[in-house]
């Protein structure tokens, strides 16, 4: 149980826990490969689920007003007194993240996080603050709230590829679904199939749940600007490895060939090397197991293996309970064998559009982020996958309220070829807003 707040989440050395994160033993190239293979895919019968929900924190009565750092400090100080079942962390821009513990069922996971969110909202409301579900802050330019050496180093590193890094750090929010890696054996619940499915289903999830079409109050031309930002950060930092072959070996190579973000120091600013890969570091220096553990946290692929699979491509959703729908749909499509087989057959024809580049820097992912379910093939695939999820949820023991929420989202958005971003864009298109339970004023 977490009863305190730490600065963490996506952008810190707390986002990937390993059993060697404090080990100062130097590692060779071969040892790195063996360690990564051993910790990043832990197989067994899929039976646990988790979720990480990120939120923008804004003024309760006027969300367009930026919250001062002093008010954020006071709000997080108040939250330190609240016992929670989930870990509560703070992102660099002051975004709030709840990370659930592994749950034995979808129902247990939803129950834990819902109770925690109720407690968090109660405390924040006393401070005149609230939580906003959006993939990117629609009003404000990026502003860093946390001031620590690792964020200084991260900012300097990511600035080399343009402004996308600062937007990612300080202005983005997501719903990250965490699922077991799967069985060692082949089949719909095998880890090789689940790894492949996560990357090919990813564009369907991007398109269906896109909810970040605005920056500085203006349309960007993308329904998921948050996904665009990940593409602009670059494949070495935010891309996936090739899907061919053994996932463990492929991910280990990717980790070794990825650029080192920074070299940590006990005193003074951290060094930010330019173009040094971890493989090169093992050959020219003496990185430790702790350095490897930190390096893993600086890689932001759309699917991150952390022993389990962390699906990172879904924008934060509008409404107090909007996060439940992507969690329920994704869990059903992975953990129900019948739904998993349907999803596999549905997205398999889409895979050709992704060639030859890896996710998310390929045509399929780009089309999903730019046009959402306006893409005919993605629309057709989404209808089939959401239908399969709706049929599977009762088999997984989902509550009627959860099934009803997925059905309502399917009817409101998926079948109509829409996504939550369209609700924000309608008024700017001269159309009446169809927003339902959203927390961003038109």
């Amino acid at each position: 149980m977490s009863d305190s707040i730490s600065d963490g989440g996506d952008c810190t050395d707390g986002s990937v826990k390993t059993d060697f994160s404090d080990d100062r033993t130097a590692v060779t190239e071969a040892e790195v490969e063996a360690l990564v293979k051993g910790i990043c895919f832990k197989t067994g019968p899929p039976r646990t689920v988790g979720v990480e929900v990120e939120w923008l924190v804004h003024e309760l009565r006027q969300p367009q007003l930026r919250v001062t750092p002093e008010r954020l400090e006071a709000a997080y100080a108040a939250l330190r007194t609240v016992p929670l079942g989930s870990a509560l962390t703070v992102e660099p821009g002051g975004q709030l993240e709840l990370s659930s513990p592994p749950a034995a069922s979808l129902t247990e996971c939803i129950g834990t996080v819902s109770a925690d969110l109720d407690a968090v909202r109660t405390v924040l409301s006393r401070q005149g603050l609230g939580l906003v579900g959006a993939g990117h802050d629609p009003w404000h330019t990026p502003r860093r709230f946390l001031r620590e050496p690792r964020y200084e180093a991260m900012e300097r590193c990511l600035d080399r590829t343009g402004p996308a890094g600062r937007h990612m750090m300080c202005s983005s929010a997501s719903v990250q679904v965490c699922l077991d890696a799967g069985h060692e054996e082949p089949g719909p619940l095998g880890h090789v199939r689940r790894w492949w499915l996560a990357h090919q289903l990813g564009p369907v999830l991007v398109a269906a749940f896109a909810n970040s079409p605005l920056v500085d109050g203006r349309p960007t031309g993308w329904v998921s600007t948050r996904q665009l930002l990940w593409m602009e950060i670059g494949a070495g930092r935010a891309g996936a490895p090739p899907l061919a072959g053994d996932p463990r070996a492929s991910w280990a190579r990717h980790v070794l060939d990825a650029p080192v973000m920074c070299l940590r120091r006990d005193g003074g600013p951290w060094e930010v090397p330019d173009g040094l890969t971890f493989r090169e570091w093992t050959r020219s220096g003496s990185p430790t197991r702790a350095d490897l553990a930190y390096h893993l946290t600086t890689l932001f692929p759309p699917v991150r293996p952390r022993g389990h699979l962390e699906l990172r491509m879904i924008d934060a959703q509008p409404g107090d309970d909007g996060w439940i729908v992507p969690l329920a749909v994704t869990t059903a499509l992975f953990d129900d064998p019948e739904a998993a087989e349907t999803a596999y057959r549905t997205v398999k024809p889409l895979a050709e559009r992704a060639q030859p580049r890896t996710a998310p820097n390929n045509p399929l992912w780009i089309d999903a982020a730019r046009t959402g379910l306006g893409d005919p093939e993605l629309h057709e695939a989404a209808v089939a996958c959401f239908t399969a999820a709706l049929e599977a949820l009762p088999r997984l023991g989902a509550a009627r309220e959860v099934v009803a929420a997925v059905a309502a989202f399917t009817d409101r958005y998926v079948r109509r070829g829409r996504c939550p971003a369209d609700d924000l864009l309608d008024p700017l298109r001269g159309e009446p807003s169809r927003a339902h339970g959203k927390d961003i004023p038109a």
Side-chain angles (χ1 to χ4, degrees):
M1 173 173 292
S2 172
D3 58 2
S4 63
I5 299 174
S6 63
D7 46 346
D10 258 349
C11 302
T12 76
D13 54 356
S15 62
V16 176
K17 299 296 185 184
T18 74
D19 57 1
F20 57 84
S21 57
D22 296 321
D23 194 323
R24 301 298 175 180
T25 305
V27 289
T28 66
E29 183 178 336
E31 288 170 336
V32 168
E33 187 169 0
L35 285 166
V36 171
K37 287 181 179 180
I39 67 170
C40 289
F41 288 87
K42 297 185 184 300
T43 54
R47 61 180 181 273
T48 58
V49 60
V51 68
E52 301 173 22
V53 287
E54 297 172 344
W55 302 86
L56 307 173
V57 181
H58 283 288
E59 295 286 349
L60 194 59
R61 296 187 180 277
Q62 293 181 287
Q64 298 93 332
L65 295 179
R66 190 191 289 274
V67 181
T68 66
E70 294 75 17
R71 295 196 65 206
L72 280 176
E73 289 279 9
Y76 286 126
L79 284 170
R80 289 189 182 96
T81 66
V82 181
L84 301 170
S86 304
L88 200 161
T89 52
V90 185
E91 293 295 315
Q95 310 97 306
L96 182 151
E97 180 182 70
L98 279 177
S99 301
S100 75
S105 68
L106 175 63
T107 299
E108 179 185 324
C109 182
I110 291 173
T112 298
V113 177
S114 295
D116 289 341
L117 281 169
D118 287 343
V120 167
R121 288 193 175 98
T122 297
V123 172
L124 289 179
S125 67
R126 295 174 187 152
Q127 307 286 324
L129 301 177
L131 301 178
V132 174
H136 187 280
D137 189 319
W139 305 294
H140 307 124
T141 55
R143 180 196 65 185
R144 188 148 55 85
F145 171 65
L146 299 178
R147 299 286 171 181
E148 297 184 9
R150 61 176 169 266
Y151 299 124
E152 302 290 343
M154 174 176 281
E155 190 171 88
R156 284 159 51 207
C157 175
L158 296 180
D159 277 350
R160 290 171 177 160
T161 57
R166 294 195 183 203
H167 282 266
M168 178 276 291
M169 291 174 64
C170 303
S171 301
S172 68
S174 67
V175 177
Q176 299 175 18
V177 180
C178 301
L179 300 167
D180 279 349
H183 289 285
E184 194 67 33
E185 297 81 9
L189 299 183
H191 76 283
V192 175
R193 171 77 70 86
R194 286 164 75 87
W195 176 247
W196 183 93
L197 180 61
H199 290 85
Q200 303 303 348
L201 182 64
V204 177
L205 299 176
V206 168
F209 295 111
N211 187 38
S212 51
L214 306 176
V215 172
D216 292 333
R218 296 186 295 272
T220 63
W222 298 70
V223 291
S224 180
T225 303
R226 175 181 164 275
Q227 190 59 52
L228 169 65
L229 296 172
W230 288 118
M231 289 186 279
E232 291 181 339
I233 287 172
R237 180 74 53 205
L243 294 183
D246 172 44
R248 292 188 178 95
S250 180
W251 178 246
R253 286 193 298 269
H254 183 76
V255 169
L256 279 163
D257 292 330
V260 174
M261 177 173 283
C262 54
L263 306 181
R264 296 174 296 165
R265 293 177 175 171
D266 293 332
W270 294 4
E271 182 181 348
V272 181
D274 190 1
L276 175 71
T277 68
F278 204 89
R279 189 187 300 277
E280 291 168 338
W281 192 10
T282 63
R283 295 173 179 177
S284 62
S286 300
T288 66
R289 291 188 176 200
D291 291 324
L292 173 60
Y294 185 82
H295 176 62
L296 290 171
T297 73
T298 68
L299 304 181
F300 310 121
V303 183
R304 184 159 61 180
R306 299 174 54 186
H308 57 272
L309 301 182
E310 179 185 80
L311 280 69
R312 305 165 39 80
M313 70 287 296
I314 301 169
D315 281 357
Q317 295 297 288
D320 289 351
D321 299 324
W323 59 275
I324 292 175
V325 175
L327 171 62
V329 169
T330 307
T331 301
L333 293 176
F334 277 81
D335 285 0
D336 180 83
E338 185 176 336
E341 187 63 30
T342 297
Y344 173 76
R345 293 197 307 267
T346 298
V347 301
K348 193 173 183 180
L350 294 175
E352 293 185 6
R353 284 177 58 180
Q355 300 299 326
R357 303 185 69 183
T358 59
N361 301 86
N362 63 50
L364 180 61
W365 282 75
I366 292 171
D367 290 343
R370 179 184 286 126
T371 62
L373 295 186
D375 181 286
E377 287 186 304
L378 286 168
H379 179 214
E380 182 179 359
V383 171
C385 288
F386 274 70
T387 300
L390 275 169
E391 294 172 353
L393 283 169
R395 296 194 291 266
L396 294 177
R400 281 181 290 182
E401 295 82 2
V402 172
V403 178
V406 173
F409 187 97
T410 303
D411 290 340
R412 180 176 184 81
Y413 296 112
V414 178
R415 298 193 192 283
R416 299 181 185 183
R418 289 173 59 86
C419 60
D422 288 305
D423 289 344
L424 302 178
L425 293 171
D426 281 344
L428 302 177
R429 297 164 175 159
E431 301 176 10
S433 175
R434 308 184 206 179
H436 174 69
K438 71 174 185 177
D439 40 19
I440 300 178

